[in-house]
Amino acid sequence: MRKQLYLPGTPILITRFLSADGVGEVVDFMPVTGEEATDRHCIVRIIRVVRGSMRFRMDCQPRFDYGREPHTVEFSLQGTAFRSRDLTLTVDPIHHGDTPLNPQDFRQDEQGGSTILGVLHEGHSGGLVIHTASSEPPRVVSPAEATEMYERTRDFWRRWLDCSRYTGRWREMVERSAMTLKLMTYAPTGGLVAAPTAGLPEQIGGERNWDYRYTWIRDASFSVRALLGLGFTHEARQYLDWLSARIQDAERDGVLPQVVYRVDGSRDLAEERLDHLEGYRGSSPVRVGNDAAGQLQLDSYGEALSCLHLADVEGLPGSHAVWRDTVAVLDWLCDHWDQPEDGIWETRGGRQDFTYGRLMSWVAFDRGIRLAHRRGRPADIARWARARDAAYDQIMTRGFHSGRQAFVQHYASDILDASLLAMPGVGFVTPTDPMWQSTLRAMDAELVSDSLVYRYDPGASPDGLRGSEGTFTMCTFWYVQALAQSGRLDDAQLTFEKMLTYSTSLGLYSEEIAPTGVQIGNLPQAFSHLSLISTAMALDELLDARR
């Protein structure tokens, strides 16, 4: 039998193996390397037996450059080094010095991997430390040294979590989400990856398989909102600095900010297919890179301005240089908001006049105007106001479908879209507005399945890809907020509680949930955990106010 848990207050993973002969634990963690850029990282895996004895087998099968780059293996009783042309992976055994390592416990295979066999008895420990780009030869690590790394990592996370000021309902899930987001952050720049994985499918056996190991402007903006609410000001400042740097880089280079970047801020995300890989459970093609970098997604500007405005309100104002470049972005948006675009869902079926893109353009102008007034900053406020009002009028006349009595995905369709659940939250409509109430009822009937929410119907609104997908986790959390804001607090709380049952046993969420209830898509997904935090905080506040 196998059970898993996190060490409380940390992301240190403990996997327990229970049998008639004994009970063993495998403890996995990554020591924190700090905020200086480095290619040296390590994963520590400690194996210990707490009762009886257990036989173990550890396989290490590295593949370099997605299996395209050959490597050599240098094996000794001190450890193993796997070397490709550009990277070295070193595996150091954790071992007691009182008993020699047995060569018969180590095996190599024809695929360039290695296997370690052994038996541990009660009170004993062993394991591995895997290094990247180590300048040192492999060596035996003592259990005491491994324990010291464990304790430093444990103490770092518990000190960090102590900075949280959240004391409301669902605290354990909120803190787990916060730690997950921290793990997905590149400390030297503050860039948050959308997910640390690539190629995990939105439909098993399908082609909706993407590489999410990059930083979207949209995600960084949502991060500031969530982490400021929890009290993690340092992390919010990091994300804000990353966003500000992208705005300034774009202005300096005479281009617009991209939708998505690498974590170091570079722009090259050329997408390619790895046709030699079959994909997870036959889900192909496997893609690395992401061509979304070249798309026009107008909503990104609204999310960026919303982030800058919120940070300013919370005492994190931007510099004069950032304001100057932000003005240039908004001036550009005045001339370009009213055009077809690719949308928040990064569809590949052609550009449309997406209502959500217009909505967030309205947000961009509105928050820009508020920033200018709040700080007395120079700007063509009258021009921005005209653009804001034009976007508002267009959404109300063309984005609302009289036949459906609902705001729709884009102007040329009557398709519903869950991204519009954000409308009351950004202040575009009041939750009690009849136009919004009828929209929410339409979504209840068409997009909601046992509390879970689909983004849209890809069969009715072709997005350029074959197959279907599951419900979108972020949209379900947005739905909870929309219910609560609309006065349906009991429905909101029940939906949120149901949603918590769909997490993995460790409290993690991927991008989507399949009809069977299993997680699908890249895991863990930043969008999902960001929206969980924001929803928990908003719902907790509304429930308190009802008392």
Side-chain angles (χ1 to χ4, degrees):
M1 181 186 298
R2 186 185 70 178
K3 300 286 185 179
Q4 285 188 308
L5 72 153
Y6 283 118
L7 181 71
T10 79
I12 297 175
L13 178 63
I14 302 174
T15 305
R16 290 171 53 81
F17 296 89
L18 296 86
S19 71
D21 295 327
V23 175
E25 294 182 345
V26 175
V27 181
D28 292 307
F29 63 94
M30 294 174 283
V32 179
T33 58
E35 296 187 0
E36 295 296 324
T38 179
D39 58 355
R40 295 192 62 178
H41 302 278
C42 73
I43 297 176
V44 181
R45 168 163 285 187
I46 298 173
I47 302 171
R48 57 196 184 196
V49 174
V50 296
R51 179 175 62 78
S53 62
M54 296 201 79
R55 182 180 301 274
F56 64 87
R57 168 180 174 151
M58 293 187 290
D59 289 311
C60 186
Q61 298 286 340
R63 297 294 182 266
F64 296 85
D65 190 26
Y66 308 105
R68 297 180 293 191
E69 183 74 23
H71 66 274
T72 60
V73 183
E74 299 172 8
F75 172 78
S76 74
L77 292 182
Q78 300 299 307
T80 305
F82 303 91
R83 303 185 190 276
S84 73
R85 179 175 53 185
D86 301 317
L87 183 66
T88 297
L89 192 71
T90 304
V91 181
D92 296 342
I94 299 172
H95 188 73
H96 285 276
D98 53 354
T99 57
L101 291 167
N102 187 347
Q104 295 180 349
D105 294 338
F106 297 80
R107 299 178 184 176
Q108 300 181 66
D109 59 42
E110 296 179 355
Q111 287 74 43
S114 67
T115 300
I116 303 175
L117 305 172
V119 176
L120 283 179
H121 302 283
E122 183 174 332
H124 287 178
S125 63
L128 299 171
V129 181
I130 303 178
H131 299 270
T132 61
S134 174
S135 58
E136 302 173 356
R139 65 181 181 87
V140 175
V141 176
S142 71
E145 184 179 351
T147 298
E148 182 183 2
M149 288 190 284
Y150 166 84
E151 291 174 348
R152 286 202 308 267
T153 304
R154 177 200 63 197
D155 294 345
F156 168 87
W157 283 104
R158 288 181 173 170
R159 285 194 305 270
W160 181 81
L161 200 58
D162 284 343
C163 295
S164 173
R165 66 187 182 200
Y166 185 75
T167 58
R169 300 167 179 83
W170 313 291
R171 181 176 176 180
E172 184 176 351
M173 290 298 292
V174 167
E175 291 182 344
R176 178 57 53 200
S177 291
M179 283 187 282
T180 301
L181 295 170
K182 178 72 169 176
L183 283 170
M184 293 162 62
T185 301
Y186 181 56
T189 66
L192 169 75
V193 296
T197 56
L200 296 180
E202 297 173 18
Q203 180 187 32
I204 303 299
E207 65 171 342
R208 297 170 180 266
N209 318 308
W210 312 107
D211 186 354
Y212 281 174
R213 299 169 298 165
Y214 306 107
T215 301
W216 271 253
I217 281 183
R218 184 184 300 113
D219 293 30
S221 301
F222 290 162
S223 300
V224 171
R225 189 175 308 133
L227 294 177
L228 279 177
L230 295 179
F232 292 112
T233 306
H234 174 70
E235 283 69 24
R237 177 82 260 180
Q238 277 193 307
Y239 296 144
L240 191 65
D241 289 345
W242 182 91
L243 174 62
S244 299
R246 304 294 73 76
I247 294 173
Q248 292 183 281
D249 290 347
E251 180 65 15
R252 181 198 63 215
D253 297 337
V255 296
L256 286 170
Q258 278 188 180
V259 172
V260 55
Y261 294 82
R262 293 182 180 274
V263 290
D264 63 359
S266 57
R267 302 171 67 96
D268 180 20
L269 276 71
E271 187 175 301
E272 60 178 315
R273 292 168 51 140
L274 304 180
D275 290 330
H276 64 290
L277 300 179
E278 68 176 22
Y280 177 76
R281 294 176 60 185
S283 304
S284 63
V286 176
R287 299 177 177 92
V288 293
N290 201 308
D291 282 345
Q295 288 191 342
L296 175 65
Q297 298 176 20
L298 292 173
D299 68 282
S300 290
Y301 302 108
E303 278 124 10
L305 264 295
S306 178
C307 165
L308 294 174
H309 173 260
L310 175 64
D312 187 85
V313 170
E314 293 292 330
L316 298 176
S319 66
H320 164 70
V322 171
W323 175 251
R324 180 195 62 208
D325 296 336
T326 300
V327 167
V329 171
L330 281 171
D331 286 343
W332 176 90
L333 191 61
C334 283
D335 294 326
H336 296 90
W337 67 268
D338 190 12
Q339 65 173 305
E341 43 122 4
D342 297 295
I344 181 176
W345 306 131
E346 301 179 349
T347 60
R348 302 196 177 191
R351 292 182 174 179
Q352 299 287 350
D353 294 313
F354 286 107
T355 306
Y356 185 74
R358 301 301 200 272
L359 169 70
M360 297 310 293
S361 295
W362 176 88
V363 169
F365 297 129
D366 179 75
R367 301 318 190 258
I369 292 168
R370 295 188 193 192
L371 272 171
H373 281 307
R374 179 179 172 83
R375 292 291 174 183
R377 296 274 172 84
D380 192 345
I381 294 176
R383 186 186 182 202
W384 294 357
R386 288 193 298 272
R388 177 199 62 190
D389 296 347
Y392 180 91
D393 290 339
Q394 188 183 99
I395 294 169
M396 285 301 189
T397 56
R398 300 182 62 192
F400 189 80
H401 193 282
S402 58
R404 297 297 306 273
Q405 284 294 292
F407 290 101
V408 292
Q409 185 180 67
H410 59 80
Y411 298 163
S413 79
D414 63 354
I415 304 302
L416 301 179
D417 192 308
S419 65
L420 300 178
L421 287 164
M423 282 183 139
V426 299
F428 184 83
V429 296
T430 61
T432 56
D433 190 304
M435 296 174 73
W436 172 247
Q437 289 288 330
S438 61
T439 299
L440 188 56
R441 288 193 296 271
M443 291 187 183
D444 285 338
E446 189 168 306
L447 297 183
V448 180
S449 174
D450 187 31
S451 79
L452 301 176
V453 181
Y454 290 93
R455 293 189 293 182
Y456 56 90
D457 180 359
S461 178
D463 54 14
L465 299 165
R466 297 187 302 272
S468 60
E469 60 180 23
T471 56
F472 207 75
T473 297
M474 178 184 70
C475 292
T476 302
F477 287 125
W478 282 5
Y479 177 60
V480 172
Q481 291 191 57
L483 289 173
Q485 292 160 350
S486 299
R488 296 165 57 182
L489 266 177
D490 289 339
D491 291 341
Q493 185 172 8
L494 178 59
T495 300
F496 189 75
E497 294 284 2
K498 281 185 177 181
M499 190 60 193
L500 297 182
T501 69
Y502 286 100
S503 74
T504 69
S505 61
L506 295 169
L508 301 181
Y509 287 91
S510 65
E511 185 177 26
E512 301 180 14
I513 296 173
T516 59
V518 302
Q519 305 271 349
I520 52 176
N522 286 306
L523 172 79
Q525 179 79 5
F527 250 172
S528 300
H529 288 279
L530 287 167
S531 54
L532 184 153
I533 292 171
S534 298
T535 301
M537 290 190 297
L539 184 57
D540 183 69
E541 183 177 345
L542 288 170
L543 288 169
D544 282 347
R546 187 175 67 172
R547 290 178 177 175

